[in-house]
Amino acid sequence: MMQKEQRVEIIDMLRGWALLIVVISNYLYYAYSPEWTIHGEGIVATVINGVESILFSAKGWTLLFTLFGFGFGVIYAKKKQQTYFFLARRMLVLFVFAFVNSLFYDGDILRDYAFLGLLILFFIHFSAKTLLYMAGVLFLFAPFLAAYINTVDTAYVTTLTTSIAPLRYSTQLLEVFKYNILNSIYTEVLNLAYSVTAHYIMFTCMILGLAIQKSKFLETVFEKKSQIKKSLFLVVSITIVLWGIFILSNMYKLPYLKYFSFHYWIVLTTMLSTSLLIILLYTNQKLKKTFKAFSWVGRMTFTNYLTQNLIAFFVFQGVGLGLFHHMPFYFYFLFAITIYVLQIGFSYWWLKNHVYGPLEWLWRQLSDTKK
């Protein structure tokens, strides 16, 4: 029983860590103008931008998709023959939440969870070994797919997004809703780098997460410190080598990058490096209070994610305070940290008397097939 509780806390802790990365990356997005300029050029902005690019950018959502796949495995293990109908309904309900969220945030990712969640139902019964092979093959072919997609002309997407840019700063609620919906379609559906490549990576992460759950690795994580240390050393070493090759290749503009774009290799190995480091620190009983705070937020990932987007809508966009692009770059970083700290406090308070977060509970109720 103890191992089960530890395992759950590890998963929630990682979700909380991922959500911290997400809120920082998402709020820094609001610091940029349509021309991708920022206020507050200088050493502070450079450091924040560098840390975000290396450690945070795309690492939050890749980790969340991995954990989402893990969650599918947990549900399958509990429900068995009832899994397919339950999860299908759960994903359809998620589409509804996704639509509402996309009104407030043009970077909505919930529909990606829902779409890929329906797809992964065809693979949910596979063994851990088979799933690991699948994830490995998908990982190896990712640079070829990314490079090919990068050759597709997407100038029309830029034209479309430029045409609706003024709506972004409107003080009219419906106009901002219109911008968020249209920009989401243009940049995440018509833009093949997202609709094809990013979805490919998301699905790879979900397959990996499902494999991890079926392997029962995290159920005995405290007994696998040595294995975790070796894995961490290996993954960090690979990440450093990949970063070195990537920097040199771009510096000398080596032509092979047209046919082999391994950006997502770096993203995934960096994500795995930080995740393994956190797991190792956790198993060594380090930073207990910090990880406990992460786990509170992680238990309410759905509620906290949507709340972050709602707050950003009324603080940054024209219908609210209109602070989009007008503040120094560091402001958006500090604001993200502030919101996250407040969410730690709210999550702790809520979970003292409730098993689930408010939106987690609503999602479960709407997905309940026994009604």
Side-chain angles (χ1 to χ4, degrees):
M1 182 63 179
M2 185 63 181
Q3 286 183 341
K4 182 178 180 181
E5 292 176 351
Q6 290 170 339
R7 167 182 167 267
V8 169
E9 187 170 48
I10 289 174
I11 298 304
D12 288 332
M13 178 189 71
L14 289 173
R15 287 193 181 107
W17 163 248
L19 204 59
L20 174 61
I21 298 175
V22 166
V23 70
I24 292 173
S25 297
N26 286 353
Y27 282 16
L28 287 179
Y29 160 75
Y30 289 102
Y32 289 90
S33 71
E35 297 75 32
W36 287 102
T37 60
I38 62 172
H39 290 292
E41 297 279 2
I43 185 63
V44 174
T46 300
V47 170
I48 292 174
N49 192 47
V51 171
E52 196 278 333
S53 299
I54 295 172
L55 295 179
F56 297 163
S57 180
K59 286 73 176 183
W61 61 258
T62 49
L63 177 54
L64 284 175
F65 271 96
T66 302
L67 297 172
F68 196 65
F70 186 98
F72 264 61
V74 172
I75 293 174
Y76 179 73
K78 290 180 179 179
K79 292 183 173 291
K80 293 300 182 182
Q81 70 273 14
Q82 302 175 2
T83 298
Y84 298 97
F85 185 60
F86 172 79
L87 286 175
R89 177 165 172 165
R90 190 169 172 82
M91 293 304 100
L92 292 176
V93 171
L94 187 57
F95 271 119
V96 177
F97 281 107
F99 174 75
V100 175
N101 184 56
S102 64
L103 293 174
F104 296 93
Y105 178 54
D106 61 321
D108 171 68
I109 205 170
L110 296 181
R111 65 179 169 274
D112 301 320
Y113 285 118
F115 166 68
L116 294 174
L118 292 174
L119 180 61
I120 205 171
L121 289 177
F122 294 99
F123 305 90
I124 199 169
H125 61 284
F126 287 7
S127 68
K129 185 176 182 179
T130 300
L131 290 166
L132 282 174
Y133 281 137
M134 284 182 60
V137 171
L138 290 170
F139 178 79
L140 290 175
F141 278 95
F144 298 101
L145 174 65
Y148 174 73
I149 293 300
N150 289 341
T151 64
V152 178
D153 183 11
T154 57
Y156 68 98
V157 175
T158 302
T159 301
L160 290 171
T161 56
T162 301
S163 68
I164 63 172
L167 296 175
R168 187 183 220 176
Y169 306 101
S170 174
T171 58
Q172 301 299 314
L173 184 65
L174 294 181
E175 289 188 348
V176 179
F177 281 170
K178 180 180 179 181
Y179 171 81
N180 287 334
I181 290 290
L182 290 178
N183 194 60
S184 179
I185 293 172
Y186 296 160
T187 59
E188 297 185 352
V189 178
L190 299 183
N191 181 12
L192 297 182
Y194 189 96
S195 62
V196 176
T197 308
H199 279 101
Y200 179 94
I201 297 300
M202 293 171 186
F203 184 70
T204 301
C205 290
M206 289 181 69
I207 290 293
L208 175 62
L210 183 58
I212 292 173
Q213 190 281 325
K214 293 205 171 190
S215 70
K216 307 300 181 183
F217 174 78
L218 293 180
E219 289 189 354
T220 56
V221 69
F222 283 88
E223 302 170 12
K224 297 179 178 177
K225 292 183 183 180
S226 177
Q227 185 178 345
I228 293 172
K229 287 181 181 179
K230 292 177 182 178
S231 299
L232 177 61
F233 177 79
L234 176 62
V235 176
V236 169
S237 299
I238 292 173
T239 304
I240 293 173
V241 171
L242 288 175
W243 268 111
I245 296 173
F246 181 77
I247 292 172
L248 291 174
S249 298
N250 281 278
M251 185 183 300
Y252 292 102
K253 294 181 171 51
L254 298 183
Y256 80 89
L257 291 176
K258 296 180 180 179
Y259 313 99
F260 192 84
S261 176
F262 59 93
H263 164 71
Y264 277 114
W265 275 10
I266 297 176
V267 168
L268 293 177
T269 57
T270 303
M271 178 272 286
L272 289 173
S273 295
T274 55
S275 299
L276 285 169
L277 176 60
I278 288 173
I279 292 173
L280 182 62
L281 290 172
Y282 177 81
T283 57
N284 287 330
Q285 301 296 297
K286 304 294 184 181
L287 304 175
K288 288 185 179 180
K289 292 183 179 179
T290 299
F291 291 148
K292 178 63 71 173
F294 283 164
S295 69
W296 294 332
V297 176
R299 283 179 62 183
M300 293 173 48
T301 300
F302 192 44
T303 297
N304 286 323
Y305 170 71
L306 290 175
T307 302
Q308 289 172 3
N309 293 340
L310 193 62
I311 291 172
F313 179 80
F314 288 108
V315 171
F316 299 127
Q317 301 211 7
V319 292
L321 299 179
L323 298 183
F324 195 109
H325 177 52
H326 299 305
M327 304 298 290
F329 192 66
Y330 65 81
F331 167 82
Y332 301 90
F333 175 78
L334 293 178
F335 187 71
I337 298 297
T338 301
I339 294 302
Y340 189 83
V341 170
L342 291 174
Q343 289 187 320
I344 290 175
F346 174 74
S347 299
Y348 171 73
W349 171 78
W350 182 271
L351 291 170
K352 285 196 300 182
N353 298 304
H354 303 85
V355 177
Y356 306 108
L359 292 183
E360 282 80 3
W361 175 84
L362 179 60
W363 188 16
R364 290 177 67 90
Q365 291 299 305
L366 295 175
S367 303
D368 188 0
T369 59
K370 295 181 180 180
K371 291 181 178 181

